[in-house]
Amino acid sequence: MAIQATGILLEGCVLSLLAREDAYGYSLTQQMKSTLGVSESTLYPVMRRLQTDDCLTVYDMPHNGRNRRYYKITKRGLARYWECKAAWADFKQRIDTVLSGQNESIIDVEGSLLK
């Protein structure tokens, strides 16, 4: 079973990578693909949305006779990154509470009370 990363979580991950350093599109998508298993076709719309929201800027740099499009986080993007990080910490804590079963009875697959 795999848990899917979507929406604001993907935005936060892209912004996190770009908060460390600028990256060209292919490099960025490969980092995300190797870590989260997310496809390029999923990430480029996220990157375009972040660009439209003024969270990213783009610039081109020549490389082996071609241009590479680099993505750079903006001040607004850094603010969004910190918002995403805070939202993730809160969400993760809530999920951990539910999955740990703190102060709750647990019922097995057949409906029997385990605790």
Side-chain angles (χ1 to χ4, degrees), residues 32-59:
M32 293 286 288
K33 184 177 180 180
S34 69
T35 305
L36 299 176
V38 179
S39 71
E40 291 175 24
S41 62
T42 299
L43 288 172
Y44 277 107
V46 171
M47 292 157 47
R48 278 193 298 276
R49 186 171 55 248
L50 288 169
Q51 188 179 353
T52 300
D53 291 347
D54 295 322
C55 293
L56 302 179
T57 59
V58 297
Y59 60 93

Side-chain angles (χ1 to χ4, degrees), residues 3-20 23-47 49-50 56 71 81:
I3 297 173
Q4 298 292 317
T6 59
I8 194 165
L9 188 55
L10 286 179
E11 288 182 7
C13 290
V14 167
L15 292 169
S16 176
L17 291 173
L18 293 172
R20 298 175 197 150
Y24 63 96
Y26 181 76
S27 170
L28 187 60
T29 59
Q30 292 308 298
Q31 288 180 68
M32 293 286 288
K33 184 177 180 180
S34 69
T35 305
L36 299 176
V38 179
S39 71
E40 291 175 24
S41 62
T42 299
L43 288 172
Y44 277 107
V46 171
M47 292 157 47
R49 186 171 55 248
L50 288 169
L56 302 179
Y71 292 83
Y81 162 66

Side-chain angles (χ1 to χ4, degrees), residues 34-97:
S34 69
T35 305
L36 299 176
V38 179
S39 71
E40 291 175 24
S41 62
T42 299
L43 288 172
Y44 277 107
V46 171
M47 292 157 47
R48 278 193 298 276
R49 186 171 55 248
L50 288 169
Q51 188 179 353
T52 300
D53 291 347
D54 295 322
C55 293
L56 302 179
T57 59
V58 297
Y59 60 93
D60 292 337
M61 294 282 293
H63 177 78
N64 294 335
R66 298 181 62 196
N67 279 339
R68 280 186 174 170
R69 173 140 301 167
Y70 280 80
Y71 292 83
K72 178 180 179 74
I73 195 168
T74 63
K75 286 183 181 181
R76 185 174 184 155
L78 281 171
R80 173 92 56 96
Y81 162 66
W82 287 108
E83 290 171 8
C84 290
K85 193 169 179 170
W88 170 250
D90 179 60
F91 184 74
K92 181 181 178 300
Q93 180 182 24
R94 291 169 188 246
I95 294 297
D96 287 345
T97 298

